[in-house]
């Protein structure tokens, strides 16, 4: 498969829950769709999936049916209302075993995308919070990794823990920051600078900031209506920030020539297996 046919795979994660990770992933997917891309949003927040709820999607099947061999990935795909070009692969919610998948099961999910790759421009992966093995495996299988954080001590501390594991234990690169709920762009940059002060001191590296999303009541209003803020309030400041974030993702470097998602996953997962 040529690089031109390989979709960009963007993982969205956070050190802790409650910082707006799914909101960022869902609205980023919608913003990319509005820019003409064929987008699939994979809800890989296994066990506590909520992208389906956030976007008002009715889906009878989810990833648990794929892993059970009952449905194919293509059968799980659901169109997102109000978001042309965007489809969702629903995760499983309320199933405890889905939150602790074995490496082989995570590999099966990633491998299933090989057949879809020619039909997808952008794959946005909403990954669970924390540093569980399945979280790290999904992050390893992404070409670009976005870490969402807020200006809260717990968010910063847990984001640092996630970055430390990805960078030191897995040797992952292409990690970028997204500041959420910022007062303004300057506040977002200040948060990035503070976080990088910590990573530079203790990890010997800094992370580029991909963008920031402002605190906006329109986001909460959209959530209450189970819609993206770009659909609910396209003229809002937050919607503008998500469009800017989509443009930044478009500008990320394309991956090299790969022989399909299976080989990509096997190569990315090797450090995890070795550990």
């Amino acid at each position: 498969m040529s690089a031109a046919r390989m979709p960009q795979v963007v993982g969205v994660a956070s050190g802790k829950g409650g910082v707006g990770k799914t909101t960022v992933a869902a609205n980023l997917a919608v913003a990319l769709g509005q820019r003409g891309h064929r987008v699939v949003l994979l809800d890989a927040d296994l066990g506590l999936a909520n992208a389906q709820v956030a976007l008002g999607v009715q889906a009878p099947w989810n990833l648990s049916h794929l892993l059970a061999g009952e449905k194919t990935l293509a059968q799980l795909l659901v169109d997102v209302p109000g978001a042309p070009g965007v489809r969702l692969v629903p995760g499983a919610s309320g199933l405890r075993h889905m939150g602790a998948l074995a490496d082989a099961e995570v590999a099966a999910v990633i491998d299933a995308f090989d057949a879809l790759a020619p039909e997808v421009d952008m794959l946005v992966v909403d990954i669970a919070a924390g540093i569980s093995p399945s979280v790290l495996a999904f992050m390893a299988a992404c070409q670009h990794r976005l870490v969402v954080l807020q200006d809260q001590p717990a968010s910063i501390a847990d984001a640092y823990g996630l970055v430390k594991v990805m960078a030191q234990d897995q040797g992952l690169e292409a990690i970028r920051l997204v500041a959420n709920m910022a007062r303004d762009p300057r506040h977002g940059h200040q948060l990035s600078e503070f976080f990088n002060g910590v990573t530079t001191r203790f990890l010997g590296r800094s992370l580029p900031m991909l963008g920031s999303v402002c605190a906006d009541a329109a986001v909460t209003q959209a959530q209450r209506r189970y819609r993206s803020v770009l659909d609910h309030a396209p003229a809002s400041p937050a919607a503008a920030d998500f469009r800017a974030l989509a443009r930044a993702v478009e500008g990320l470097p394309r991956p090299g020539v790969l022989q399909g998602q299976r080989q990509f996953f096997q190569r990315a997962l090797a450090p995890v297996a070795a550990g």
Side-chain angles (χ1 to χ4, degrees):
M1 183 180 297
S2 68
R5 298 291 297 277
M6 174 63 66
Q8 292 275 64
V9 185
V10 181
V12 183
S14 62
K16 69 180 293 293
V19 300
K21 168 185 60 64
T22 294
T23 298
V24 170
N27 282 277
L28 172 60
V30 173
L32 288 168
Q34 290 183 348
R35 294 185 61 78
H37 298 287
R38 300 169 300 172
V39 183
V40 168
L41 172 62
L42 167 61
D43 192 345
D45 192 345
L46 304 174
L48 294 173
N50 56 12
Q52 175 179 339
V53 175
L55 293 172
V57 173
Q58 299 292 328
W61 317 112
N62 55 56
L63 283 176
S64 68
H65 298 96
L66 172 70
L67 293 174
E70 299 172 4
K71 296 293 177 180
T72 66
L73 185 63
Q75 291 173 316
L76 300 185
L77 289 169
V78 183
D79 292 334
V80 174
V86 183
R87 294 177 292 173
L88 171 70
V89 176
S93 183
L95 299 179
R96 182 176 298 179
H97 72 279
M98 289 294 291
L101 296 182
D103 289 347
E105 293 173 307
V106 177
V109 174
I110 299 297
D111 183 44
F113 278 90
D114 193 51
L116 287 182
E119 304 173 14
V120 179
D121 301 317
M122 298 279 186
L123 171 60
V124 179
V125 187
D126 179 15
I127 303 171
I131 55 173
S132 71
S134 62
V135 166
L136 299 176
F138 273 115
M139 288 298 271
C142 294
Q143 298 151 351
H144 306 289
R145 304 159 184 99
L146 309 186
V147 175
V148 179
L149 71 163
Q150 288 188 19
D151 191 1
Q152 302 171 350
S155 173
I156 294 170
D158 290 347
Y160 169 78
L162 174 60
V163 169
K164 179 181 178 180
V165 173
M166 287 194 297
Q168 289 193 337
D169 295 358
Q170 293 182 285
L172 298 181
E173 300 294 334
I175 305 171
R176 295 171 172 83
L177 302 176
V178 175
N180 192 31
M181 297 290 290
R183 293 189 298 272
D184 50 45
R186 181 181 178 183
H187 180 213
H189 283 287
Q190 289 174 338
L191 175 57
S192 173
E193 290 175 356
F194 176 81
F195 187 81
N196 276 320
V198 177
T199 60
T200 300
R201 178 180 179 184
F202 294 105
L203 301 180
R205 63 179 295 176
S206 62
L207 305 176
M209 180 179 176
L210 192 65
S212 66
V213 179
C214 68
D216 188 345
V219 174
T220 302
Q221 295 166 1
Q223 291 171 336
R224 290 173 177 167
R225 290 166 174 77
Y226 309 109
R227 298 163 65 185
S228 71
V229 72
L230 292 111
D231 180 31
H232 170 69
S236 64
D241 287 343
F242 282 118
R243 286 191 288 268
L245 187 63
R247 292 192 296 271
V249 167
E250 287 178 326
L252 294 176
R254 299 289 302 182
V257 176
L258 301 171
Q259 298 301 314
Q261 292 293 81
R262 175 183 299 178
Q263 289 81 356
F264 179 33
F265 181 82
Q266 290 173 340
R267 178 173 63 85
L269 189 58
V272 179

